Amino acid sequence: METPIEQAVAVLRRNQLKITKQRQALLDYLVTYQDHYVAISEVDEHMRTLFAGMSHNTIYRNVKEFETLGLLELKSQANQTLVKYQCDFEHQHHHHFVCSNCGKVTELQACPLDEYEAQLPGCTITGHRMEIYGLCAECTQKQAN
Amino acid sequence: METPIEQAVAVLRRNQLKITKQRQALLDYLVTYQDHYVAISEVDEHMRTLFAGMSHNTIYRNVKEFETLGLLELKSQANQTLVKYQCDFEHQHHHHFVCSNCGKVTELQACPLDEYEAQLPGCTITGHRMEIYGLCAECTQKQAN
DNA sequence: AAACTAAATAGTAATGATTATGATTTAGTT
DNA sequence: AACTAAATCATAATCATTACTATTTAGTTT
């Protein structure tokens, strides 16, 4: 069984991108964010602590490159870009519930897009985003106490 | 019939906020963005051209204050905060289709939240966002030529 | 295994949106 | 007209992100 990192490296190869130490280290770190989002600026800070001398540019550029390859998911929030590892290569299309207390991300089944298409005659739909936020079951539980 | 500005001023009064020249000018400008989003930084630039000496602080603070009053809608995109006037006081809850070419915003009917609640047992849902993007009918038409 | 080359990175500095701060002004009230 | 809390101004700082150019390196070729 291939690990997520091995899968990711295979994707890089398939796209003729070089497997650099920096990219490997980035993937190693980001793979720990499979069910949470993290700010790129925090990834930047972390990587530059681990590897003195690593360039901001390298981190930001690669994160964005990895997104176009489908390895990561990005979203914009509070004037920051947040990133999360996308490990579900089989089902890339999905939507999220995000706990605003612990940050846990839950994938939602089904997509509401179909319902809306009829409301947009003549339009070209290129993308959409559906996100629900609140407290996950665990945090709801804790809050009750 | 009350104008949007009059309605907004009434909301300010109801919340014991002072009706300053700056706030009136801001509303006058923002009311022109009822079906488009605009970057706050652009609002800032515009207002400071109109009123030499107006403070960044004043603009950013008020835009955020107006959002909490339900006068404006904000969203984060590409490391900027975008703002749009919310004039539909009757139906505050809705979702959007945003044309990525001309920026036109179309309100969508119906909300997909209900479908998902069953998938989140024990969770507390505090909010959600559904947004579709692409080209509006007009821009699709033009692109075809 | 050494040479090669395009791609990637480092190092430094700049940019641009937003926020902080403390002194001054003003809307609405007394 | 005086009063006062709220709002604004003016200035500077902060923080995420991007730009730029010289240097390094992964992967290939000889």
Side-chain angles (χ1 to χ4, degrees):
Chain A
M1 191 59 185
E2 252 185 338
T3 68
I5 305 267
E6 284 166 350
Q7 288 186 312
V9 168
V11 170
L12 294 191
R13 264 193 237 292
R14 212 174 302 141
N15 288 83
Q16 277 116 42
L17 295 183
K18 296 184 178 175
I19 315 296
T20 63
K21 294 182 189 97
Q22 291 86 342
R23 283 177 173 159
Q24 282 180 344
L26 246 183
L27 288 171
D28 281 347
Y29 181 55
L30 288 171
V31 79
T32 67
Y33 286 94
Q34 298 206 5
D35 62 359
H36 283 70
Y37 278 93
V38 60
I40 300 190
S41 54
E42 195 180 309
V43 175
D44 183 56
E45 194 177 19
H46 176 85
M47 296 303 296
R48 285 165 56 88
T49 304
L50 277 186
F51 300 90
M54 193 167 181
S55 204
H56 294 299
N57 202 330
T58 299
I59 294 154
Y60 282 85
R61 183 171 26 76
N62 279 311
V63 165
K64 285 175 186 171
E65 214 150 22
F66 290 173
E67 187 205 19
T68 69
L69 300 177
L71 297 175
L72 303 176
E73 293 178 43
L74 299 186
K75 68 170 176 167
S76 190
Q77 188 180 285
N79 308 315
Q80 281 200 317
T81 302
L82 307 186
V83 59
K84 173 186 165 308
Y85 201 83
Q86 157 66 280
C87 61
D88 191 351
F89 288 106
E90 307 304 315
H91 307 91
Q92 292 216 357
H93 185 78
H94 54 250
H95 298 292
H96 288 149
F97 170 73
V98 183
C99 178
S100 31
N101 184 240
C102 71
K104 185 181 178 195
V105 171
T106 306
E107 283 193 21
L108 299 169
Q109 302 307 315
C111 167
L113 187 58
D114 300 344
E115 292 181 58
Y116 291 104
E117 285 182 319
Q119 293 183 39
L120 300 165
C123 298
T124 309
I125 294 173
T126 59
H128 66 288
R129 185 177 272 278
M130 162 79 200
E131 197 170 271
I132 303 177
Y133 30 93
L135 297 174
C136 68
E138 213 173 318
C139 289
T140 297
Q141 204 32 262
K142 279 180 193 154
Q143 207 187 40
N145 301 335
Chain B
M1 190 59 184
E2 251 184 340
T3 67
I5 305 267
E6 285 165 350
Q7 289 186 312
V9 168
V11 171
L12 295 191
R13 264 193 236 292
R14 211 173 302 140
N15 288 83
Q16 277 115 42
L17 296 183
K18 297 184 175 174
I19 316 295
T20 64
K21 294 182 188 101
Q22 291 86 342
R23 282 176 174 160
Q24 283 179 345
L26 245 184
L27 288 171
D28 281 346
Y29 181 56
L30 288 172
V31 78
T32 67
Y33 286 93
Q34 298 205 7
D35 62 359
H36 283 70
Y37 278 92
V38 61
I40 299 190
S41 55
E42 196 179 311
V43 175
D44 183 58
E45 195 177 19
H46 175 85
M47 296 302 296
R48 286 165 55 89
T49 304
L50 277 186
F51 300 89
M54 193 168 181
S55 204
H56 295 299
N57 201 328
T58 299
I59 294 154
Y60 281 86
R61 184 171 26 76
N62 280 310
V63 165
K64 285 175 185 171
E65 214 148 22
F66 291 173
E67 187 206 19
T68 69
L69 300 176
L71 297 174
L72 303 177
E73 294 178 42
L74 298 188
K75 68 169 177 167
S76 188
Q77 188 181 285
N79 308 315
Q80 281 200 319
T81 302
L82 305 187
V83 59
K84 175 187 163 308
Y85 202 83
Q86 156 66 280
C87 61
D88 191 352
F89 288 105
E90 307 304 316
H91 308 91
Q92 291 216 359
H93 185 80
H94 53 248
H95 298 291
H96 289 149
F97 170 73
V98 183
C99 177
S100 32
N101 185 239
C102 71
K104 186 181 177 193
V105 171
T106 306
E107 283 193 20
L108 299 170
Q109 302 307 313
C111 168
L113 188 58
D114 301 344
E115 293 181 59
Y116 291 103
E117 285 183 319
Q119 293 183 38
L120 300 165
C123 297
T124 309
I125 295 174
T126 59
H128 66 289
R129 186 177 270 277
M130 161 81 200
E131 198 171 88
I132 303 178
Y133 29 94
L135 297 173
C136 67
E138 212 173 318
C139 289
T140 298
Q141 204 32 260
K142 280 181 192 153
Q143 206 187 40
N145 299 336

